Amino acid sequence: MKYVDEFRRGDVARGIAKHIAGLVDPAREYRLMEFCGGHTHAIARYGLTGLLPSNIRLIHGPGCPVCVLPIGRIDSAIELVLQHQVILCTYGDTLRVPASNRMSLYKARAEGGDVRVIYSTSDALRIARENPDRQVVFFGIGFETTTPPTAMALKTAKTEGQKNFSVFCNHVLTPPAMQHLLSAGDAVELDGFIGPSHVSTVIGSDPYQAVAKQYRKPVVIAGFEPLDVLQATAMLVEDINHGRDGVSTQFTRAVTPEGNQKARSVVMETMMLRDTFEWRGLGQVPHSALAIHPDYADFDAEQRFALPYRHVPDHKACECGAILRGQKQPSDCKVFGIVCTPDNPLGSCMVSSEGACAAHYHYGRFVKSPTQTSVEEGA
Amino acid sequence: MKMAYQRKLDLQNGKIDLTHGSGGRAMVQLIHELFADAFGNEWLAQGNDQAILPPTQGRLAIATDSHVISPLFFPGGNIGSLAVHGTVNDLAMGGAIPQYLSVGFILEEGLPLSQLAEIVRSMGEAAKAVGIAIVTGDTKVVEKGKGDGIFISTTGVGYVPDGVNLSGDQAQVGDVILVSGTMGDHGMAIMSQRQNLGFESNICSDSASLHELSAALVKHVPSLRLMRDPTRGGLATTLNEIAHQSAVGMSLSESAIPVNPSVRAACELLGLDPLYMANEGKLIAICSAEDADIALNTLQSHPLGKNAAVIGTVVEDPHQFVRVSTDFGGERLLDWLSGDMLPRIC
């Protein structure tokens, strides 16, 4: 595949790995957080950890939109489906996220709820046009990457005067989350970040400058192909060795400092910052999410259906919170692979293929991690 | 039995209605003018509630399969030919020679008769190509909204020649694992046709009967341990099943597993893994390492096996893991499929 295979060449990967091994200072540890689940997935899928020197620790971050969605928000989506009888259009991986009372959108569907998996927001609009006598709600979820299509759907719905379409907006923002992670009292010690390139194709690389400078950490915006991740690791090691902070870009093939102005303007027109938003694992994070702009209030499902937000605590045994903050690894969780599996996820990190627990379970549970004493049973 | 009907079935514009499942004259007409015509054989023509068949040789093999698929028609086949191929393959993977098929139709009120006719005709043709007879069947009609156009169940009967003993629990440490061709073609062909996906591709389903391929392996590979067709759950899930049955592990080489470039590209786009996508015309075979070349040559000398490859070996592993060495020299698990395959958000 043109433009894909070039970034998956084993000989080049081994060359970069050798280069990294020559760069690292054996006397120190390099604690790098891959912020985004896409990186976590690539690292596990291609077995990258095994190529890196043992003193480079890759720490999973909170960058999976499904993982950080709090239970209360899934409960609200289920309420829309079962109580308000809407057609809920959603991206696929939200279906299995556990909600309160052992519910999920999958189970809501089994109870008669009309939940439809879609691949783009235009599908949700089409379903609304095809079902004029039904209320259709798009479950908007994701980071800055998936926000512009939601914004375009809002604009289109307004232009068309859609009466039966609205958006349940749960879009969250990465720079405030990074800030929150670093400022927390119990923050894990980090030496640098592998930043998400798909986010930066929209917002650019500049929005990370403030946090990188404030906390004196290097951030390298990296693509999701294995060679991207390895190259970003090499760049971070060099930054750390030389005491450099600030933001640099590995993914130069699509990321600019200022991002995509058109996409940003349509988001700014249709949405606005929330004062605060709950993230699973991180708690309330100020100015970290978007709500629908008052000009588009008619298309805001939270207002149309008067959805109250209720905080629901995570399962006591679940360590998703600590894993999302980088404090623990999936294998540190007592229920990992035993009570909590991809077939029966207890926590959200086990749901999405981009979740740290699911990635570790699917691809690497035969590998002993530094904190493990034995390979997990229960294949 | 010949009956006169006031009017012939309107196979161009007619639609299935509840009378076609009522057991009355309309149903009998449907059977006579469509099913009997397409399947025609001496047992079906007798019009009895059962087919009374001559004694078979060897050991009796039986397999049943239900087919629920959307869309009903896809590049490379339709639900009718698929229903024949699926059950023939289930028999063939046990080393059986498929002989007879029974079929159950559940039709939804409103199904165009033209579609039903095309499906039934392709079933007849698929059965004829294999050399099996569709000897008995059943038809029910459900109200509109209670079906998905048509559901088809098929049960196949065949025999296993003496001396052939294949089973999922017979993989041994040191054996080689082969596949007969590219993985994921059927799953991606179906996915590309779904209305809400809306992307164009030239991917064709691999739907085919594998009885000739399996018979050739049985004939030429003395150490053949087992065969399995990697349908739902794809290669990954099927290999995990075999590893579990045989209490062994497996070690695969990612670069050795054949995948059609178009399927790989489409999977890339959707965030899916072709090794979990369904196949309907491919088989996995396991035999001793000494017979690896014979098995590979046997597969590659048949048109359905021209892209066959040795993809790995059976290893000792108390965890029964299926592992894949990546092109980078790293290693990962190829785990069971969990739930549905769902495209990632971003």
Side-chain angles (χ1 to χ4, degrees):
Chain A
M1 267 179 296
K2 191 76 181 153
Y3 307 121
V4 173
D5 290 343
E6 292 88 336
F7 300 97
R8 293 182 186 172
R9 283 181 52 187
D11 55 335
V12 180
R14 285 187 288 276
I16 301 175
K18 200 171 164 191
H19 173 64
I20 293 171
L23 288 177
V24 294
D25 173 358
R28 64 160 300 165
E29 196 174 39
Y30 297 81
R31 295 156 300 189
L32 313 180
M33 175 174 273
E34 84 270 7
F35 187 88
C36 175
H39 289 132
T40 304
H41 182 81
I43 289 163
R45 167 72 176 72
Y46 296 97
L48 298 188
T49 314
L51 297 182
L52 296 173
S54 58
N55 57 335
I56 294 185
R57 263 190 68 200
L58 295 174
I59 298 167
H60 311 309
C64 162
V66 170
C67 300
V68 296
L69 196 67
I71 294 173
R73 290 267 158 189
I74 299 283
D75 284 353
S76 295
I78 292 169
E79 183 182 327
L80 282 169
V81 172
L82 292 183
Q83 284 163 37
H84 298 281
Q85 303 279 311
V86 309
I87 299 174
L88 187 79
C89 299
T90 178
Y91 298 133
D93 36 4
T94 56
L95 261 72
R96 289 191 293 134
V97 182
S100 299
N101 304 318
R102 294 174 172 261
M103 278 297 285
S104 65
L105 285 170
Y106 249 137
K107 289 178 180 164
R109 193 150 83 168
E111 292 196 6
D114 197 344
V115 182
R116 302 191 191 180
V117 173
I118 57 162
Y119 299 87
S120 77
T121 53
S122 58
D123 290 337
L125 283 167
R126 176 180 50 79
I127 289 168
R129 288 183 208 110
E130 290 171 359
N131 295 273
D133 53 340
R134 299 279 308 276
Q135 284 294 322
V136 175
V137 178
F138 171 63
F139 191 2
I141 166 175
F143 290 103
E144 291 90 336
T145 332
T146 53
T147 310
T150 307
M152 276 311 296
L154 286 165
K155 247 185 108 114
T156 307
K158 191 173 185 183
T159 307
E160 291 180 1
Q162 291 276 355
K163 299 289 180 208
N164 64 330
F165 177 79
S166 57
V167 172
F168 179 35
C169 186
N170 294 277
H171 287 289
V172 287
L173 305 170
T174 44
M178 197 179 277
Q179 161 93 25
H180 187 80
L181 271 176
L182 290 167
S183 65
D186 58 351
V188 64
E189 287 290 323
L190 296 171
D191 299 300
F193 285 94
I194 299 174
S197 58
H198 59 349
V199 167
S200 286
T201 56
V202 177
I203 64 171
S205 57
D206 276 349
Y208 296 102
Q209 288 287 4
V211 62
K213 289 287 181 195
Q214 183 184 350
Y215 292 93
R216 308 202 56 196
K217 307 284 181 201
V219 176
V220 174
I221 308 294
F224 296 99
E225 293 300 331
L227 293 190
D228 291 328
V229 177
L230 284 173
Q231 193 187 3
T233 304
M235 291 168 73
L236 276 172
V237 167
E238 288 206 85
D239 283 347
I240 293 162
N241 284 347
H242 294 98
R244 290 195 291 257
D245 56 29
V247 181
S248 47
T249 299
Q250 176 276 334
F251 198 74
T252 49
R253 50 194 193 272
V255 168
T256 58
E258 65 282 358
N260 182 331
Q261 295 295 344
K262 274 189 183 168
R264 291 173 72 176
S265 71
V266 73
V267 171
M268 285 168 69
E269 180 191 329
T270 56
M271 298 182 195
M272 58 180 229
L273 263 187
R274 290 181 193 261
D275 290 339
T276 185
F277 191 81
E278 185 187 350
W279 291 51
R280 191 182 283 216
L282 305 187
Q284 292 289 338
V285 181
H287 304 121
S288 66
L290 298 168
I292 291 171
H293 194 278
D295 289 350
Y296 287 80
D298 289 348
F299 304 95
D300 186 348
E302 283 179 77
Q303 294 193 35
R304 182 173 292 192
F305 300 98
L307 287 178
Y309 180 66
R310 285 180 291 269
H311 166 73
V312 182
D314 287 335
H315 192 287
K316 278 181 189 162
C318 177
E319 298 274 19
C320 279
I323 292 165
L324 290 166
R325 292 192 299 274
Q327 293 163 331
K328 290 193 173 178
Q329 300 185 50
S331 51
D332 296 330
C333 179
K334 286 195 182 93
V335 294
F336 173 84
I338 301 164
V339 179
C340 183
T341 64
D343 294 313
N344 281 300
L346 197 64
S348 54
C349 296
M350 192 59 99
V351 175
S352 163
S353 63
E354 296 191 353
C357 294
H360 184 57
Y361 188 93
H362 279 308
Y363 295 128
R365 69 186 186 278
F366 64 93
V367 181
K368 287 184 185 180
S369 68
T371 52
Q372 274 178 285
T373 52
S374 65
V375 176
E376 295 92 344
E377 302 287 348
Chain B
M1 183 174 61
K2 259 206 172 306
M3 286 177 71
Y5 304 103
Q6 281 189 319
R7 197 172 291 168
K8 272 178 79 76
L9 276 178
D10 183 356
L11 292 178
Q12 272 197 320
N13 304 307
K15 288 188 174 171
I16 286 292
D17 60 49
L18 290 174
T19 65
H20 291 115
S22 65
R25 196 188 307 270
M27 192 177 95
V28 177
Q29 184 181 13
L30 185 71
I31 292 168
H32 281 170
E33 293 188 6
L34 188 55
F35 299 138
D37 188 48
F39 301 157
N41 58 67
E42 57 183 296
W43 298 279
L44 201 62
Q46 289 169 7
N48 293 322
D49 285 348
Q50 72 296 118
I52 298 174
L53 306 164
T56 190
Q57 46 185 311
R59 286 160 295 149
L60 195 66
I62 183 163
T64 195
D65 211 347
S66 298
H67 300 271
V68 175
I69 189 165
S70 175
L72 300 175
F73 298 86
F74 47 83
N78 63 54
I79 189 171
S81 50
L82 187 70
V84 173
H85 297 152
T87 298
V88 164
N89 291 346
D90 284 348
L91 288 171
M93 293 306 103
I97 312 295
Q99 287 182 296
Y100 306 107
L101 215 56
S102 90
V103 57
F105 292 100
I106 296 177
L107 310 175
E108 186 186 11
E109 187 182 15
L111 175 73
L113 280 171
S114 57
Q115 288 191 11
L116 179 63
E118 190 175 341
I119 289 165
V120 169
R121 268 198 292 271
S122 73
M123 282 189 85
E125 284 163 14
K128 195 173 165 194
V130 177
I132 55 169
I134 299 175
V135 293
T136 186
D138 178 57
T139 306
K140 296 282 187 298
V141 179
V142 294
E143 289 170 25
K144 195 164 180 64
K146 293 189 173 174
D148 205 1
I150 178 168
F151 302 140
I152 302 178
S153 281
T154 41
T155 297
V157 175
Y159 72 91
V160 183
D162 292 337
V164 177
N165 292 293
L166 307 176
S167 170
D169 62 0
Q170 294 192 20
Q172 296 174 18
V173 173
D175 285 350
V176 291
I177 305 159
L178 300 101
V179 291
S180 64
T182 52
M183 293 290 105
D185 298 10
H186 176 74
M188 191 45 78
I190 296 301
M191 198 161 266
S192 68
Q193 291 299 305
R194 294 211 168 133
Q195 190 197 0
N196 58 354
L197 218 51
F199 70 86
E200 286 183 19
S201 81
N202 56 1
I203 300 166
C204 257
S205 167
D206 57 354
S207 181
S209 288
L210 297 167
H211 57 297
E212 290 177 354
L213 217 49
S214 62
L217 284 173
V218 167
K219 185 176 174 189
H220 296 297
V221 184
S223 66
L224 185 66
R225 317 274 193 226
L226 65 95
M227 295 178 286
R228 189 71 63 85
D229 56 339
T231 52
R232 270 180 310 168
L235 178 72
T237 304
T238 310
L239 288 180
N240 273 283
E241 283 170 10
I242 297 169
H244 191 67
Q245 275 182 281
S246 295
V248 294
M250 293 185 184
S251 176
L252 311 179
S253 164
E254 187 162 41
S255 56
I257 303 172
V259 178
N260 178 331
S262 306
V263 171
R264 201 148 70 90
C267 282
E268 198 63 42
L269 190 72
L270 297 169
L272 303 173
D273 187 337
L275 306 188
Y276 289 86
M277 306 290 286
N279 308 275
E280 291 293 345
K282 302 287 162 46
L283 64 78
I284 297 167
I286 295 182
C287 67
S288 74
E290 292 77 46
D291 287 346
D293 287 343
I294 302 173
L296 188 61
N297 290 336
T298 304
L299 287 170
Q300 287 179 341
S301 59
H302 191 280
L304 291 178
K306 65 179 191 295
N307 295 316
V310 175
I311 61 165
T313 55
V314 177
V315 297
E316 196 173 338
D317 185 345
H319 300 287
Q320 297 159 15
F321 285 145
V322 177
R323 305 180 193 212
V324 185
S325 58
T326 70
D327 294 349
F328 295 177
E331 204 179 34
R332 68 176 171 100
L333 273 189
L334 191 62
D335 206 3
W336 296 84
L337 176 65
S338 296
D340 278 354
M341 272 208 300
L342 298 169
R344 297 202 304 268
I345 283 181
C346 53

